[in-house]
Amino acid sequence: MLLARVIVVAVLAALSSVYVLAGAAGAVLVFAVQCLYTLWARKWWLLAAQAALVSWVTLGTGASVVVLGYLAGSLLVTRLWALAPGVVFGAVVIAYARGGDVITTLDLAITTILMTLIVPGLIRLVERVDELHATRLALAAAAVGEERLRIAAELSDGLGRGLDTIIGGVRRALAGAGTAELGEVVATARQSLADARAAAAGFRAMSLAPELTTAKAMLAAAGVAVEVRSGHTEPLGPAGALLAAVLREAVTDVVRHGAARTCVIETSEEAGTVGLRVTDDGRRTAEDDALADLARQVRAAGGRLASGLSDQGRHTVEATVPAPQRRPEKREPADMSVLLLAAVLVGFGVKALLRMPPPLLVPGAAMLAVIVVMQLRSVTGRHMTALAVMAVLTYAPVPVFGPIWLGASGFLAGPVLLAFRPRIAWPLVAAVVASTAAIAALFGLPLPQGANVTLSTLVTGLVVYSLLRLARIAKELQAAREDLARSAVVEERLRAARDLHDLLGHSLAAILLKCELARRLPPERARAELAEVLEMAERAGHDLRSVSGEQRDLSLAAEAESAASILRAARVEVTADLAHPPLPAEVETVLSAVLREAVTNVLRHSTARRCSISTAADGGLVRLTVRNDGARPGEARRGSSGLGNLTTRLAALDGRLTTGVEDGWFRLDARAPYLDPAGLGGDADGVGTVACV
């Protein structure tokens, strides 16, 4: 990521600036080579160039031996890592040979070791950030793959065996065993259908998000301005299924009454509960019986559901249920960025202690330890209490410790940059640096020494900020990577739920209907129906594999033919008029699923005797319309998971699903944009006008 690289360059620049300002102009070249080595590639010739540069800058120009820490740090990430301690030891020998006392030599040794730790830490952090960023999609794909295997195992145990039993029973009946075998087939089909619906409900219960999408689409189609405020954490499990039922009923109620112009849907999670609130500006003449039924279910689950007018005169449905027991988050081992930060902070602290008089060592060490702990807390967020403690410990000890304590101001500057927005943070940092210079002047420090303390405050602040920021970036990327994987798993389960309901559920319902019909027919006619059942059962096997993650494109023409056969078996007169152009596979698959659900609803939710299926192109849209009689005037079909699934599928294509009742006919209308594969109008891919009685 670019931000991580900018921060690394800032850290290296801040460290190098100390030596440039001290007169070692060659440190600029060392900085440039170190940036190339850290951010570009670990090439042997760059390492050789760095070795030559730091040797010249240190021995040839008399610069500080700390510059050798660049080389030692770079060696640590290569196979020549064993040479790094030798470089550090050489720096200590050079420092002592230059006439430094033991304390000065020890100070330079600690600083060189810190540089040796900072450089490989920055290299590894850049690699870590790149790895986290690059593997986030791979982790999500792996999680989806594992979930598909889990779904396949779950479904094959029950539904897979059920389909095998159905196919075997039908084949035996066709082989002349008679229709007595159909009793077992019917029972198995009925149980498999119940299992499929239960599995779909279980998969769907993981998330409330698709219900929010469906609700928004339904309200928008009804001309209601809707706002969704999501404040819960996925997945929700059974709590999500219960709240989804409440949401569907509340939204259906808003649409049915037709008086609302605005609606707000809110979810929340706090204090061990998940809440849902649906508020609209419509009026009610009576409360919905379905909500009363749901209220009993919510109470049985340990929750509460209430509806009525709010203090502002708006109709409100509010439900609260216990939140699911979530697994405790895995505690990751200490990140390298945090360990690096801790090492640098401790190193700076030890350097400060070297200059303290013996009587002040214990209190000084205690206060520095508190500062280090407060700094590490800043990795996980903006902690104003920790910042206040560091501010107090930066200035309060100065009258006692004297100018030797001024180095602590650098520890304050870093977290300030992290805690506030730039327009506030930088003036505050400038104030910290200025206060350090002022205090140094009050103590009468010589100008070079005062300038060094002031510059060190700024450099230390930038280094600490950069390390804190890098640590936070690594944590944020890790969390985002895991969230993406969890979201992918939830989406995969939702896809499985949609396919179970829309594809496999439809096939099993059709098989059950055909088998029931075959049991009532003479043997010869029954054999024709059983041949179709066998074909449907084999197609259901393909549907099951599709649910488990195997992609399968559907044909709208084939689905229309199948729908006509199923409706004919139920004694419904069917007219099919398909006049759509060639469609992209994904559009045709979604419209085929819409047709399946529409036919299922015709059989389950009406007393239909006539049904019409039609498709047509309208500009850049393809339209599928399914109409059936037998709908009672004034009664809209309640929201169902099936229609919700279809709304979600179409929304993914920027399409729309609308339903309504007019003159005793129920109408389902699905529209989706398409691109003509040939770039032209194309011929209609339909079955013409076919009357089926």
Side-chain angles (χ1 to χ4, degrees):
M1 289 180 64
L2 178 61
L3 180 58
R5 284 167 165 72
V6 170
I7 290 174
V8 167
V9 172
V11 172
L12 294 174
L15 293 172
S16 302
S17 65
V18 175
Y19 309 107
V20 174
L21 293 176
V28 174
L29 295 177
V30 175
F31 161 73
V33 172
Q34 186 65 63
C35 285
L36 290 175
Y37 189 81
T38 302
L39 303 177
W40 181 42
R42 261 70 74 194
K43 301 292 186 180
W44 67 268
W45 56 270
L46 277 175
L47 191 62
Q50 188 179 47
L53 279 172
V54 297
S55 299
W56 168 67
V57 171
T58 304
L59 300 176
T61 66
S64 172
V65 296
V66 176
V67 176
L68 289 170
Y70 284 113
L71 176 61
S74 297
L75 287 169
L76 279 180
V77 297
T78 70
R79 290 185 232 177
L80 303 176
W81 60 269
L83 297 178
V87 174
V88 175
F89 180 75
V92 175
V93 171
I94 294 171
Y96 189 74
R98 286 178 175 176
D101 54 30
V102 174
I103 297 297
T104 301
T105 302
L106 188 57
D107 182 280
L108 289 172
I110 292 173
T111 307
T112 305
I113 292 172
L114 286 176
M115 184 71 77
T116 303
L117 293 175
I118 289 173
V119 168
L122 293 175
I123 292 173
R124 294 304 187 200
L125 280 174
V126 170
E127 291 176 347
R128 174 70 170 156
V129 169
D130 287 344
E131 175 192 349
L132 289 172
H133 192 260
T135 60
R136 68 195 192 285
L137 295 180
L139 178 65
V144 168
E146 292 178 4
E147 192 63 24
R148 285 182 176 176
L149 291 175
R150 190 177 298 111
I151 290 171
E154 291 177 10
L155 297 180
S156 63
D157 287 344
L159 292 173
R161 285 200 304 268
L163 284 174
D164 290 341
T165 301
I166 292 170
I167 292 173
V170 172
R171 283 176 175 167
R172 286 192 297 273
L174 285 171
T179 58
E181 291 285 343
L182 291 181
E184 180 185 354
V185 173
V186 168
T188 303
R190 185 174 288 111
Q191 182 60 49
S192 296
L193 180 57
D195 291 344
R197 289 171 178 167
F203 292 157
R204 190 177 180 85
M206 290 190 68
S207 176
L208 186 57
E211 295 299 339
L212 294 172
T213 301
T214 300
K216 187 173 182 179
M218 287 178 63
L219 290 167
V224 179
V226 59
E227 180 182 359
V228 177
R229 304 169 186 167
S230 180
H232 68 280
T233 302
E234 301 284 3
L236 291 176
L242 200 51
L243 291 178
V246 174
L247 178 59
R248 283 196 298 270
E249 188 55 45
V251 170
T252 301
D253 194 38
V254 173
V255 174
R256 182 170 60 250
H257 284 83
R261 291 294 171 264
T262 62
C263 182
V264 178
I265 302 172
E266 301 171 88
T267 65
S268 60
E269 185 172 350
E270 57 184 8
T273 62
V274 184
L276 167 70
R277 179 185 298 154
V278 181
T279 306
D280 68 272
D281 58 359
R283 298 288 181 179
R284 304 289 191 275
T285 57
E287 290 300 323
D288 194 351
D289 292 337
L291 278 178
D293 293 337
L294 285 171
R296 286 190 287 272
Q297 297 179 40
V298 170
R299 284 195 299 272
R304 181 182 63 87
L305 189 151
S307 62
L309 292 179
S310 66
D311 295 338
Q312 293 77 29
R314 297 171 66 85
H315 188 268
T316 301
V317 176
E318 188 168 6
T320 304
V321 296
Q325 294 292 327
R326 304 194 186 277
R327 293 180 182 177
E329 294 186 4
K330 288 175 58 179
R331 288 184 173 270
E332 296 289 337
D335 192 89
M336 183 189 352
S337 56
V338 179
L339 295 177
L340 174 62
L341 175 62
V344 170
L345 292 173
V346 170
F348 280 141
V350 171
K351 280 171 55 70
L353 292 174
L354 288 175
R355 303 291 181 179
M356 287 186 185
L360 298 178
L361 280 176
V362 174
M367 285 186 288
L368 285 172
V370 172
I371 289 176
V372 170
V373 172
M374 296 298 103
Q375 292 271 3
L376 294 177
R377 285 198 68 194
S378 300
V379 173
T380 58
R382 178 182 176 184
H383 298 283
M384 300 308 296
T385 301
L387 193 62
V389 170
M390 283 187 283
V392 171
L393 293 180
T394 297
Y395 294 106
V398 170
V400 178
F401 287 81
I404 199 171
W405 193 256
L406 289 178
S409 57
F411 290 146
L412 178 63
V416 164
L417 283 172
L418 202 65
F420 299 100
R421 293 180 179 178
R423 66 173 180 268
I424 299 175
W426 284 107
L428 288 176
V429 170
V432 171
V433 173
S435 67
T436 302
I439 294 172
L442 288 175
F443 277 105
L445 293 180
L447 184 60
Q449 190 175 352
N452 181 65
V453 170
T454 303
L455 179 61
S456 296
T457 296
L458 180 59
V459 170
T460 302
L462 290 175
V463 170
V464 170
Y465 162 74
S466 300
L467 294 176
L468 283 169
R469 191 73 183 91
L470 277 173
R472 187 173 289 185
I473 287 174
K475 284 188 173 295
E476 289 172 353
L477 275 175
Q478 180 70 27
R481 185 170 171 258
E482 293 171 356
D483 285 345
L484 180 61
R486 283 194 295 269
S487 297
V489 168
V490 171
E491 285 299 320
E492 181 62 20
R493 287 234 157 196
L494 292 174
R495 181 203 60 78
R498 289 192 295 268
D499 287 352
L500 271 172
H501 185 284
D502 301 344
L503 303 181
L504 190 59
H506 172 87
S507 297
L508 289 170
I511 289 171
L512 181 59
L513 177 66
K514 285 280 192 179
C515 286
E516 291 282 11
L517 176 63
R519 294 176 69 183
R520 298 182 177 91
L521 292 176
E524 289 304 319
R525 292 184 61 188
R527 289 179 64 84
E529 296 296 335
L530 289 177
E532 289 192 25
V533 169
L534 185 59
E535 183 181 342
M536 289 177 179
E538 290 173 349
R539 188 167 66 231
H542 292 296
D543 291 341
L544 182 60
R545 289 191 291 275
S546 176
V547 171
S548 302
E550 180 182 308
Q551 294 297 324
R552 179 185 173 221
D553 295 334
L554 301 178
S555 166
L556 192 52
E559 289 303 323
E561 184 178 349
S562 175
S565 174
I566 294 168
L567 290 168
R568 183 180 66 243
R571 299 184 179 180
V572 177
E573 180 183 342
V574 185
T575 300
D577 182 10
L578 304 188
H580 59 273
L583 301 174
E586 59 181 356
V587 175
E588 188 160 7
T589 297
V590 169
L591 291 179
S592 298
V594 171
L595 180 55
R596 283 192 179 190
E597 178 62 22
V599 170
T600 300
N601 284 335
V602 170
L603 298 176
R604 292 176 60 193
H605 300 297
S606 74
T607 56
R609 287 295 171 262
R610 288 179 294 170
C611 178
S612 67
I613 302 168
S614 63
T615 62
D618 183 9
L621 296 175
V622 60
R623 185 179 70 252
L624 167 67
T625 303
V626 180
R627 299 176 67 249
N628 64 272
D629 63 358
R632 288 187 291 272
E635 180 181 355
R637 187 166 298 163
R638 294 191 179 277
S640 67
S641 58
L643 292 180
N645 289 346
L646 301 180
T647 301
T648 302
R649 288 176 183 270
L650 286 165
L653 301 176
D654 293 329
R656 171 179 285 192
L657 179 74
T658 57
T659 59
V661 176
E662 183 178 355
D663 297 330
W665 283 71
F666 181 84
R667 179 189 180 98
L668 181 147
D669 197 71
R671 290 180 174 86
Y674 75 97
L675 293 175
D676 190 334
L680 302 170
D683 296 329
D685 182 23
V687 295
T689 302
V690 181
C692 304
V693 181

